[in-house]
Amino acid sequence: MDKKKDCSRPDVPNCSAKMQHTDKKLEQYLERQALSQRLGKIKHKVMVLSGKGGVGKTTVAVNLATSLSVLGKRVGLLDIDIHGPSIPKMLNLQGRTLQGKDETLYPILSGENLKVISIGFLLKSEDDAVIWRGPMKMGVIKQFLKDVEWGELDYLIVDSPPGTGDEPLSICQLIENADGAIIITTPQDIALISVRKSIKFCRELNLPILGVVENMAGLICPHCQQRIDVFKTGGGKKMAQDMKVPFLGSIPIDPKIVESCDDGTPYVYKYASSETATAFGPMVKSIMNLDSKEGNRQSTGAGTEKCP
Ligand code: ADP
């Protein structure tokens, strides 16, 4: 055979490059298929985002997932906050390790119907730092989506890393038909500047915004009962109005939130009838409303801002 035409020969120019290209395309196709097979069993996927760290994004994600699971929903909570995975601690699941078989990973169960996956379950110790470059992070995020056997779920709540960098971008691109994002901010200008970026990020990616939550809005002094606006107040609501996105309410600073995060019992579970717990109501409702909006990305509807 003419050497030039024998494409099975690695020494023939262009051929191995061509084959590599085809292999890559096949790999991507199989990957997409595996992703849509796994994620197809999940009715609704909701991202919890924030412009910056420390505003209570994980706290809100944990309490939202717990509220939904207490209401009898089948819930998954995916922690892809690779550099600060605090979900195992907040749900008292430290020391648990992921079990796997034949390229399948099984989530850890918290309570009866809350399934949890966190990078924290892969670390030997809570003190271990993840020092990974972009492709490794992308690889683990992909694996968490592709290889985790979530089973049938009503909701998957994704606790994304803060900001608008590689990891939030990867997850938003990998979950192609996510129902929307809840964006957490604190009321002060510094946080609001970055949350505007998160809103623009969602719009760029055509990810519907379910709403903005203002966390750490005011503290009631336990001694004099006067309100102290530690990080100002009302900024989140005003920003939501300016940016034309739904506002899902304010959560006050409550020392019991810190305590419940630290002892691993979600606040909404431990203090279910408190005033602060009721602040989570509109967020839970906005997620449960998705049930009446199947195929949300193709539809419009109250409580969901559609991207232009
Ligand atoms: P993020 O995920 O945005 O980095 P976290 O959810 O980890 O933030 O919260 C950071 C800290 O703030 C935690 O110790 C948590 O207990 C505390 N926290 C969050 N929201 C509140 C609140 N409303 N009142 C008091 N403490 C809070």
Side-chain angles (χ1 to χ4, degrees):
M1 187 188 273
D2 178 353
K3 182 183 162 190
K4 270 192 189 148
K5 285 188 185 151
D6 184 2
C7 280
S8 61
R9 290 178 60 134
D11 57 331
V12 175
N14 295 328
C15 268
S16 69
K18 248 190 240 164
M19 281 170 71
Q20 267 178 22
H21 181 68
T22 315
D23 284 355
K24 187 97 196 134
K25 282 205 139 180
L26 180 65
E27 193 186 309
Q28 283 171 350
Y29 170 78
L30 292 174
E31 208 165 61
R32 269 203 308 276
Q33 267 208 329
L35 264 174
S36 66
Q37 235 172 37
R38 290 274 188 217
L39 299 180
K41 292 191 203 159
I42 302 170
K43 281 196 203 156
H44 300 291
K45 298 122 197 153
V46 174
M47 314 285 175
V48 182
L49 304 174
S50 68
K52 64 196 289 295
V55 298
K57 172 182 53 59
T58 302
T59 305
V60 172
V62 164
N63 281 283
L64 277 181
T66 303
S67 302
L68 291 163
S69 75
V70 165
L71 290 169
K73 301 292 179 185
R74 296 161 303 172
V75 188
L77 179 57
L78 173 60
D79 177 10
I80 55 152
D81 199 340
I82 290 178
H83 297 286
S86 33
I87 283 182
K89 167 91 178 150
M90 287 191 191
L91 287 171
N92 200 17
L93 298 172
Q94 310 102 296
R96 303 286 295 272
T97 46
L98 290 181
Q99 304 297 318
K101 196 179 163 204
D102 303 334
E103 294 197 10
T104 299
L105 287 169
Y106 297 97
I108 306 252
L109 200 59
S110 168
E112 273 178 32
N113 44 5
L114 174 57
K115 293 176 177 173
V116 187
I117 284 282
S118 167
I119 194 84
F121 298 138
L122 299 177
L123 304 177
K124 283 202 194 87
S125 142
E126 266 186 303
D127 302 334
D128 285 355
V130 174
I131 307 166
W132 289 346
R133 290 194 190 279
M136 271 187 85
K137 291 194 246 178
M138 179 70 176
V140 82
I141 291 174
K142 231 184 240 178
Q143 199 186 357
F144 278 172
L145 291 174
K146 194 166 62 67
D147 298 344
V148 171
E149 178 52 58
W150 293 103
E152 304 270 335
L153 289 184
D154 295 308
Y155 307 105
L156 178 68
I157 308 292
V158 182
D159 180 19
S160 166
T164 54
D166 270 1
E167 296 126 71
L169 181 63
S170 303
I171 191 98
C172 290
Q173 285 174 335
L174 288 167
I175 305 182
E176 284 177 350
N177 58 347
D179 292 76
I182 291 184
I183 306 177
I184 318 302
T185 184
T186 46
Q188 77 274 36
D189 295 350
I190 296 283
L192 294 171
I193 291 167
S194 48
V195 90
R196 284 172 192 272
K197 292 184 182 152
S198 298
I199 291 173
K200 290 195 173 155
F201 170 86
C202 291
R203 287 180 171 156
E204 285 280 317
L205 296 174
N206 205 24
L207 175 65
I209 297 164
L210 301 183
V212 167
V213 174
E214 184 184 72
N215 189 26
M216 307 193 192
L219 163 79
I220 305 298
C221 171
H223 308 293
C224 67
Q225 309 306 315
Q226 293 289 307
R227 186 187 167 103
I228 308 163
D229 290 328
V230 182
F231 297 116
K232 299 184 170 173
T233 191
K237 186 173 187 179
K238 185 168 179 316
M239 185 276 309
Q241 281 165 352
D242 289 350
M243 300 288 284
K244 299 187 172 39
V245 295
F247 181 65
L248 297 176
S250 299
I251 305 169
I253 296 177
D254 187 334
K256 291 198 177 81
I257 290 189
V258 182
E259 168 210 304
S260 50
C261 283
D262 282 357
D263 76 14
T265 316
Y267 181 90
V268 289
Y269 188 77
K270 197 167 175 186
Y271 300 101
S273 51
S274 68
E275 206 176 307
T276 305
T278 59
F280 288 90
M283 294 169 237
V284 174
K285 207 168 156 205
S286 79
I287 295 177
M288 291 182 70
N289 278 346
L290 294 170
D291 289 336
S292 53
K293 293 180 209 147
E294 293 287 346
N296 186 43
R297 277 199 148 185
Q298 280 78 50
S299 68
T300 52
T304 304
E305 187 240 9
K306 278 298 289 179
C307 302

